[in-house]
Amino acid sequence: MTVFVAGRGHRPLLFAGLGCLAIALAAVTHSKTALAADPAAESTLREPITVNLDQAKLVKLPERTATLVIGNPLIADAAVQPGGVVVLTAKSYGMTNLVALDRSGATLVEYPIQVVGPSDAVVVVFRGIERESYSCAPDCERRITLGDSVGFFGANLNAVGAFGAALAPPEKK
């Protein structure tokens, strides 16, 4: 704010200008003090959580959590368990976030989630543009890996599905 004073006849303007300046300064100082004293104004952003593809990680949520939001459920998914524990499951490569909100909609905590490739010994074979992945610990076996060629991925997925169905108990009629 700028106050111009030109002679004695403008003293009321000077006092009014100084009064406005004092009020503005008090408001700015008061809001900064209020923000510093308000625990909700502190940063809710936490360190990133790294999850390997096809694996899960446990995260403890704040007690007052009422709503859980996953930015992109195609990258990671969350399942809430008793006791305020969340199971994060990596689904696809990339970065997303998890946000915990209280009943009033205030953010309690936010975690960036980074999904990275598998951590085990993986061998990737390229045949032109076709890609195949093998888990090699200790022997190399076909594995279902996001990004493999459709034929290779589908054949592995069908084999795993058939194996799972063979192990399932018979249905009761």
Side-chain angles (χ1 to χ4, degrees):
M1 175 187 307
T2 306
V3 178
F4 295 99
V5 179
R8 292 186 177 224
H10 297 294
R11 276 194 193 222
L13 289 178
L14 173 63
F15 291 125
L18 288 175
C20 289
L21 183 61
I23 290 170
L25 183 60
V28 169
T29 305
H30 176 70
S31 65
K32 284 185 179 178
T33 305
L35 285 176
D38 184 10
E42 294 176 19
S43 176
T44 57
L45 188 62
R46 300 291 185 256
E47 290 295 316
I49 298 171
T50 301
V51 186
N52 292 88
L53 192 63
D54 301 328
Q55 291 188 0
K57 207 165 245 190
L58 299 177
V59 176
K60 179 77 172 140
L61 293 174
E63 289 182 24
R64 298 184 341 254
T65 301
T67 303
L68 196 64
V69 179
I70 295 289
N72 186 344
L74 296 175
I75 294 175
D77 198 7
V80 180
Q81 303 299 310
V85 174
V86 168
V87 179
L88 286 177
T89 305
K91 299 211 163 197
S92 178
Y93 300 105
M95 187 81 167
T96 188
N97 65 332
L98 175 143
V99 181
L101 306 171
D102 66 10
R103 291 196 184 282
S104 68
T107 302
L108 297 173
V109 67
E110 179 179 353
Y111 292 100
I113 301 169
Q114 176 71 49
V115 175
V116 296
S119 61
D120 58 341
V122 176
V123 172
V124 179
V125 176
F126 289 92
R127 299 174 195 269
I129 60 169
E130 302 295 316
R131 180 182 131 169
E132 302 173 359
S133 297
Y134 298 86
S135 185
C136 297
D139 298 323
C140 289
E141 302 289 340
R142 290 176 165 221
R143 65 174 282 142
I144 299 170
T145 303
L146 189 65
D148 282 344
S149 300
V150 173
F152 186 81
F153 186 89
N156 289 343
L157 192 58
N158 289 337
V160 169
F163 182 71
L167 295 178
E171 292 183 27
K172 294 181 182 179
K173 291 185 181 183

